[in-house]
Amino acid sequence: MALKIRLTRIGTRHQPHYRIVVAEARSRRDGDPTEVLGTYDPRNKGAQVKVKFDRVDYWLGKGAKPTESLNGLLKRARRAAAAPASAEATTGGAAAPAPAPAQ
């Protein structure tokens, strides 16, 4: 039983929206998944990918292989998730306090 981490389409015509799923490699694209790991909305300008990285790492450890397109999406999402954490580390964990208003 070979597992793939891939996209399955749930959007309507001209309005694509995808789920990130774990499914058997030989099953249909929109077939019954083993587990839903997140979503991908290519039309959204902000955060396009919402994914549970702990579950992705679990399935990768079990031998599931991501598709090429999803591998790129996961890399970008991990980089985006790490960027706010590194920004907090450089500012000491909190934003700089606002200056007191002049009276």
Side-chain angles (χ1 to χ4, degrees), residues 7-93:
L7 297 171
T8 182
R9 185 178 171 128
I10 57 172
T12 60
R13 183 173 24 177
H14 304 298
Q15 295 183 357
H17 191 81
Y18 300 92
R19 285 189 184 134
I20 300 170
V21 299
V22 176
E24 286 191 44
R26 293 174 24 165
S27 66
R28 298 185 318 258
R29 177 194 73 179
D30 295 337
D32 191 28
T34 305
E35 183 178 354
V36 177
L37 302 176
T39 60
Y40 169 58
D41 187 4
R43 298 178 308 132
N44 190 357
K45 296 294 182 203
Q48 295 180 327
V49 179
K50 295 177 185 164
V51 65
K52 302 177 211 167
F53 288 113
D54 58 332
R55 296 304 296 168
V56 170
D57 294 336
Y58 169 80
W59 284 108
L60 290 173
K62 292 287 185 183
K65 304 279 187 203
T67 60
E68 285 186 34
S69 57
L70 188 61
N71 196 25
L73 285 173
L74 290 174
K75 283 182 182 179
R76 269 192 280 154
R78 282 188 198 270
R79 216 175 309 132
S86 64
E88 286 180 12
T90 58
T91 61

